[in-house]
Amino acid sequence: MKILIATHNQAKFEEIKWGLNDLESLEIFSLRDFKISESPEEDGETFKENAYKKAKFYSEITKISTIADDGGLIIPYLNGEPGVKSRRWLGYEASDDELINYTLEKLKDAKGDERLAYLTTCICFYDPQKEILIFEEENVEGYIAFEPSKNRIPNYPFRSLFIVKKFNKYYDELSEGEHLEVNHRLKALFRLKEKISKFI
């Protein structure tokens, strides 16, 4: 079975590919394999809507089953912002540093539980022939720090501010084992994989 992991983020592609590696008879493709550079308009009001739009968009182009996800940071103190606009909160051209500094400025008066936050993701599997559509969603609970961590992961600015409640550590300072314990994308993917395996 052919399946496309629909993301332009190489780190995310490798993570999802690793999560699928025990599914037999699966031929995994990237957007790069199809020389696809375009992206759908992510104008959904929920992560689920955007994950669906991406999965369907790329599946219709490639004619193969597709996995896509959408996720971001939810800060209740900011009425759920940045939410579905996490990457484009300040526009797609905004740098990691600009997003980090903007978040800290917005929370400059927030203390204690006012800094509560969630990293959330929704992952979607879409098959163009049978119109099969499956979603799984997962959250990680934590707090926004008062300053960024020293270990920054490019293209993941909010992880530099997010302290995982379970370990009381910055997300991007978790050990490999700790990261696997709270990795919301992989948790959602593993539940999704059970359903995909039955489909296969």
Side-chain angles (χ1 to χ4, degrees):
M1 178 182 177
K2 295 180 179 179
I3 194 165
L4 171 71
I5 299 174
T7 177
H8 292 289
N9 185 315
Q10 187 62 26
K12 186 188 292 187
F13 171 81
E14 294 296 341
E15 184 174 88
I16 295 175
K17 182 180 179 181
W18 177 86
L20 296 173
N21 64 5
D22 59 339
L23 280 182
E24 297 181 0
S25 303
L26 198 64
E27 191 175 0
I28 297 175
F29 292 87
S30 69
L31 294 176
R32 189 177 300 174
D33 291 324
F34 286 94
K35 296 181 172 55
I36 297 173
S37 59
E38 64 263 40
S39 301
E41 184 70 26
E42 295 180 38
D43 54 1
E45 295 184 3
T46 65
F47 296 116
K48 189 173 183 177
E49 288 180 23
N50 283 334
Y52 164 72
K53 289 192 71 170
K54 286 188 274 190
K56 186 173 186 291
F57 177 83
Y58 291 115
S59 184
E60 289 179 344
I61 292 175
T62 61
K63 310 303 181 187
I64 64 174
S65 297
T66 299
I67 287 178
D69 81 318
D70 192 54
L73 179 69
I74 295 174
I75 305 174
Y77 180 79
L78 300 180
N79 298 314
E81 288 188 349
V84 293
K85 297 180 180 179
S86 290
R87 186 66 249 187
R88 60 185 191 279
W89 202 12
L90 300 179
Y92 285 111
E93 69 283 354
S95 67
D96 288 355
D97 282 342
E98 287 172 329
L99 284 164
I100 288 170
N101 293 333
Y102 183 72
T103 304
L104 291 175
E105 176 63 23
K106 295 275 281 187
L107 291 172
K108 64 181 180 180
D109 297 322
K111 300 175 182 177
D113 285 346
E114 291 176 330
R115 303 184 78 87
L116 182 69
Y118 301 91
L119 285 174
T120 187
T121 192
C122 182
I123 194 163
C124 174
F125 171 82
Y126 183 87
D127 179 78
Q129 279 75 44
K130 297 188 178 181
E131 292 291 323
I132 290 178
L133 184 65
I134 310 169
F135 291 101
E136 290 295 344
E137 195 160 14
E138 186 71 35
N139 296 319
V140 180
E141 185 176 5
Y143 294 91
I144 300 300
F146 288 92
E147 60 182 17
S149 69
K150 301 296 188 291
N151 300 322
R152 294 190 184 182
I153 304 173
N155 300 316
Y156 289 106
F158 300 119
R159 291 187 181 186
S160 301
L161 293 174
F162 190 84
I163 296 176
V164 178
K165 187 175 182 180
K166 183 174 183 178
F167 298 110
N168 195 32
K169 293 171 67 174
Y170 284 100
Y171 193 102
D172 56 9
E173 292 183 349
L174 297 178
S175 68
E176 185 175 346
E178 290 168 340
H179 182 253
L180 284 174
E181 278 193 54
V182 299
N183 188 310
H184 54 319
R185 183 179 297 112
L186 285 180
K187 284 184 176 183
L189 177 66
F190 291 155
R191 292 203 306 272
L192 183 73
K193 185 168 66 171
E194 291 179 14
K195 298 173 183 177
I196 294 175
S197 63
K198 294 176 183 177
F199 171 63
I200 293 172

